[in-house]
Amino acid sequence: MSHILILGGTTEASALAVALAERGERAILSYAGRTDRPRSQPVPVRIGGFGGVAGLAAWLRDEGVTHLVDATHPFAATMSGHAVEAAERAGVRHIMLTRPPWVAGEGDRWIHVPDVTGAVAALEGPPRNVMLALGRMHVEAFAAQPQHHYLLRFVDAPALAPGLPRHSLVIDRGPFTVEGDMRLMREHAIGCVVSKNAGGSGAEAKLIAARGLGLPVVMIDRPPCPAARVTHAVAGVLEWLGHSALRGV
Ligand code: 3Y8
Ligand code: NAP
């Protein structure tokens, strides 16, 4: 009998949880505990860190996990690195479920930068209204470019006011819509968008809206992927588990 741990926090992780629940598989989905009210799931959920690689390896052994699916966000690089190492130590099979990076299309005005530091540097210049669609964790870095007015979007209301002198804050969780993001960008007279290359559908709306409005996007490339085995589809995980994907996903 399989026992599957899903490292979650993404649209794909939630879709996998549905598919495994439908198939009567024994699975548990894990959140880091970064948000106040994470989406409920059709499988049991655990919340909080494991305590590094050693903690995760011990948890895998103690819980009798047979398969580890890393379905975390492409920028959750620490967790993904720990997952590879801990699965190896615990002798547990491992796969990563992620989404391909977005690729600029017709009409896109992307400025590629390697990381948050590069995104800050790319904002050198006269004041603009900048939509900083990076969530909460990297906001302080942009205090180095205080001339801009930043539009911030967080999942939860912060305990402390963000450390940027001029900002507006929207509390919302994705998936977002093109209409909604277009409206937001028009209301705030946005001149530039900063985004992580997260891929997937849940955060893509802002890119389509920026394209429609002819706005430049500072696109932060994702960190290297540590996993040896990667799939971009829930069906790929089901096949890896030994299910026939013919039942549709
Ligand atoms: C806690 C779980 C699902 C998963 C939904 C996806 C889509 C909506 C779009 C923008 C970009 C951003 C942010 C974003 C999106 C999905 C997905 C995705 C981006 C939740 C969730 C957790 C988190 C953590 C949170 C981060 C933040 C990042 C907001 C739940 C809602 C910006 C990433 O306050 C904080 O500390 C929040 C931190 C990591 C990045 C950051 O640096 O702030 N996600 N997001 C997970 C956990 O505890 O383990 O609350 O239900 C999940 C989702 N957020 O099941 O439907 O699949 O990517 N999440 C980015 O892409 O740049 C918003 O505003 O346009
Ligand atoms: P990270 O920097 O790679 O991980 C930092 C630490 O957080 C990990 O070492 C681990 O702690 C804990 N952790 C991370 N994900 C976890 C999970 N799913 N279950 C249990 N513990 C977890 O991770 P992050 O970028 O902060 O992302 C945290 C969560 O938010 C992940 O679930 C991710 O999928 C989701 N998310 C992140 C982003 C993003 O932009 N980074 C976007 C959308 C969703 P221990 O070392 O103690 O085990």
Side-chain angles (χ1 to χ4, degrees):
M1 177 70 178
S2 301
H3 185 196
I4 302 151
L5 170 63
I6 306 169
L7 296 176
T10 58
T11 309
E12 291 73 19
S14 299
L16 176 62
V18 168
L20 294 177
E22 282 171 351
R23 287 161 176 74
E25 283 281 0
R26 184 180 173 213
I28 183 166
L29 187 142
S30 176
Y31 283 120
R34 282 208 171 280
T35 52
D36 294 345
R37 284 172 302 286
R39 170 196 287 264
S40 61
Q41 296 289 343
V43 297
V45 165
R46 68 165 297 288
I47 297 182
F50 293 96
V53 174
L56 177 54
W59 197 89
L60 294 171
R61 278 193 292 268
D62 297 349
E63 296 295 320
V65 171
T66 57
H67 296 76
L68 170 50
V69 183
D70 174 7
T72 58
H73 189 275
F75 281 73
T78 304
M79 187 71 257
S80 292
H82 287 188
V84 170
E85 170 109 27
E88 174 76 24
R89 285 193 198 177
V92 169
R93 294 184 61 203
H94 167 283
I95 194 169
M96 186 169 194
L97 170 61
T98 188
R99 50 278 181 120
W102 292 312
V103 177
E106 184 72 28
D108 284 331
R109 296 173 55 198
W110 290 7
I111 301 126
H112 288 276
V113 294
D115 49 27
V116 170
T117 306
V120 173
L123 293 181
E124 193 65 54
R128 283 186 285 183
N129 296 332
V130 178
M131 180 176 178
L132 205 49
L134 305 180
R136 178 176 62 144
M137 292 197 290
H138 304 289
V139 165
E140 310 307 324
F142 292 86
Q145 302 282 3
Q147 70 274 25
H148 302 302
H149 186 103
Y150 291 98
L151 171 61
L152 307 175
R153 178 155 64 183
F154 290 179
V155 178
D156 298 315
L160 296 172
L164 295 174
R166 302 168 61 221
H167 68 270
S168 306
L169 177 59
V170 167
I171 304 300
D172 197 0
R173 66 165 53 216
F176 302 103
T177 64
V178 177
E179 299 71 29
D181 279 3
M182 272 243 184
R183 184 169 52 250
L184 193 63
M185 292 178 191
R186 285 199 176 106
E187 277 169 9
H188 293 266
I190 296 298
C192 172
V193 178
V194 182
S195 171
K196 291 176 192 161
N197 198 330
S201 56
E204 193 179 17
K206 62 180 175 284
L207 305 182
I208 299 165
R211 183 189 305 144
L213 297 172
L215 300 179
V217 175
V218 175
M219 182 61 77
I220 303 172
D221 292 336
R222 57 177 64 174
C225 172
R229 183 186 294 273
V230 180
T231 180
H232 289 154
V234 166
V237 177
L238 297 176
E239 279 163 34
W240 175 72
L241 288 169
H243 283 281
S244 155
L246 300 179
R247 292 177 51 189
V249 176

